[in-house]
Amino acid sequence: MNSHFHGCRLFSVGSSWSGLCSFEHSARKGCRMKRKIQRWGVTTALSVAASLVVGSVWAAGMPEVTLPDTAPFPESVAATSYGVLFVSSITDGGVLRIAPDGSAPTPFFKPGEHDTRSTFGVLADDKSGTLWVASNDASAIGIKGPSAVEGAWIKAFDLKSGGLKAAFRLPVESAVANDFAFGPDGTLYVTNTAGPEIFMLKPGADALEIFVKDDALKGGLDGIALGEDGNLYVNTYVSGELFRIGIAGDVAGKVTKLKTSRPLTHPDGMKPYKNGFIMVEGKGTLDRVTVSGDEAKIETVKEFAGPTGVVLAGDVIWVTEGQLGYLSDPDKKGRKPEAFRLRAMPLPKE
């Protein structure tokens, strides 16, 4: 029981090596993997094995995972250091778990479980053994979700057992918890798509606090990532903007709008990558973003079908094709794509 979570919803989670055992089985490494774990340590051994498994998936010509009908409209994807993927669903909720070999997805938790509703951002933290999940009442934008739970929440789950550790509600009336990033001191930052706020959860804290509130950020905050320079970077889904926000201890520094080399259309998930970021745009692209001063060069790397989330797993980029246009475009509303997929590609060459 983590007593420092006093004041929030708190849950105890039993210890288990089931996640590691499942990984070992799916990777088919048996006793050799166990010997490597003893010699190198768990994280190093599993990271190496995950790279081998991902390589075998590419060799087999299968750089994609088709998601089950029970998990349509994926919003975000997370990855552990040992190659396990987690995928959320903005319409039906729940979170899927996908083994490093790309085998059939299985529920990490089912839609509506643990008082969840529509699931948005997901972020895996190997250090604490936690999967962070954003859960929202999205009925205001026409998405009913699998339950009647009100409000916007971030919830912490045990990576191995799937048990709920803690839950924190965003402390404002107009709120949609979207995406996550960790600061250099372990503070967790959360974007609010329904307002111009970014919230923070400091290590050991029992409630979320406002990190920054600025009208410049009212264009639908979405993706967030920590830059190599120690600043936070965020995008806005509706207005298509990119911002840098300084971190000065527990308070925000200057909020700077970056000048992009081309317009952005529904920018969404983003992750740090070599002097900048990789980022998806809902219009259909995976981009490389290179920041220089107050300018950002946007280069299209590859096209996808309505991408919403992105994550790096070893030397592979995984992208969720959420295809949210089917929820908002009047010409598509009421219909569904043939399938929803996770697609992968190697890191771009220099």
Side-chain angles (χ1 to χ4, degrees):
M1 181 73 71
N2 296 325
S3 59
H4 63 267
F5 283 125
H6 175 72
C8 67
R9 290 191 179 182
L10 175 69
F11 306 85
S12 61
V13 179
S15 174
S16 169
W17 281 91
S18 59
L20 174 58
C21 294
S22 297
F23 169 79
E24 289 180 342
H25 175 73
S26 63
R28 294 179 173 86
K29 297 297 178 183
C31 294
R32 286 181 297 160
M33 177 57 64
K34 291 178 181 177
R35 286 196 295 269
K36 288 180 180 179
I37 290 172
Q38 292 170 353
R39 188 165 64 248
W40 298 340
V42 173
T43 301
T44 302
L46 293 182
S47 296
V48 171
S51 298
L52 295 173
V53 174
V54 169
S56 68
V57 171
W58 279 100
M62 300 182 294
E64 67 177 46
V65 176
T66 299
L67 303 178
D69 293 340
T70 54
F73 298 103
E75 207 282 332
S76 182
V77 57
T80 65
S81 62
Y82 42 94
V84 176
L85 300 176
F86 298 90
V87 184
S88 61
S89 169
I90 194 171
T91 54
D92 289 34
V95 169
L96 294 176
R97 180 187 183 277
I98 302 169
D101 62 357
S103 55
T106 57
F108 180 68
F109 66 81
K110 296 178 181 178
E113 273 193 319
H114 308 296
D115 286 331
T116 58
R117 197 161 177 176
S118 294
T119 49
F120 283 61
V122 287
L123 178 65
D125 179 22
D126 291 301
K127 186 176 180 180
S128 66
T130 302
L131 181 73
W132 289 95
V133 179
S135 173
N136 295 283
D137 171 7
S139 57
I141 57 174
I143 300 173
K144 188 176 180 180
S147 72
V149 176
E150 296 181 350
W153 296 81
I154 65 168
K155 304 203 172 193
F157 295 86
D158 185 270
L159 273 176
K160 296 171 186 173
S161 69
L164 183 61
K165 293 180 175 182
F168 306 85
R169 186 170 180 171
L170 271 62
V172 291
E173 185 175 346
S174 183
V176 172
N178 198 317
D179 210 353
F180 303 100
F182 279 109
D185 65 348
T187 295
L188 181 68
Y189 296 94
V190 188
T191 53
N192 177 18
T193 302
E197 302 101 356
I198 297 172
F199 291 90
M200 65 179 178
L201 183 68
K202 292 182 285 188
D206 58 7
L208 287 160
E209 303 174 53
I210 292 178
F211 171 66
V212 63
K213 181 176 182 179
D214 193 306
D215 282 345
L217 306 174
K218 63 183 179 182
L221 282 165
D222 200 316
I224 183 170
L226 182 71
E228 291 182 351
D229 58 5
N231 296 308
L232 283 176
Y233 289 78
V234 296
N235 59 40
T236 52
Y237 185 83
V238 178
S239 59
E241 297 169 302
L242 186 63
F243 295 88
R244 178 177 59 238
I245 304 171
I247 300 177
D250 293 341
V251 297
K254 185 179 179 182
V255 176
T256 304
K257 180 181 175 180
L258 302 183
K259 182 180 179 181
T260 56
S261 60
R262 65 163 173 79
L264 302 178
T265 304
H266 300 319
D268 208 317
M270 58 191 292
K271 292 291 184 288
Y273 179 70
K274 291 186 179 180
N275 299 317
F277 309 90
I278 53 170
M279 180 178 74
V280 291
E281 296 182 66
K283 72 172 184 179
T285 61
L286 169 71
D287 307 327
R288 181 169 180 178
V289 181
T290 305
V291 178
S292 178
D294 294 345
E295 298 185 356
K297 182 180 180 182
I298 312 296
E299 300 173 275
T300 298
V301 176
K302 188 176 177 62
E303 293 187 351
F304 291 86
T308 49
V310 62
V311 72
L312 276 70
D315 56 1
V316 172
I317 299 172
W318 285 96
V319 174
T320 49
E321 293 185 325
Q323 303 182 75
L324 300 186
Y326 280 84
L327 300 176
S328 58
D329 187 337
D331 294 332
K332 296 180 179 180
K333 213 161 186 180
R335 296 188 288 133
K336 279 187 179 181
E338 176 189 352
F340 292 95
R341 295 182 176 90
L342 274 177
R343 294 190 186 274
M345 62 165 287
L347 287 174
K349 294 181 180 179
E350 298 301 317

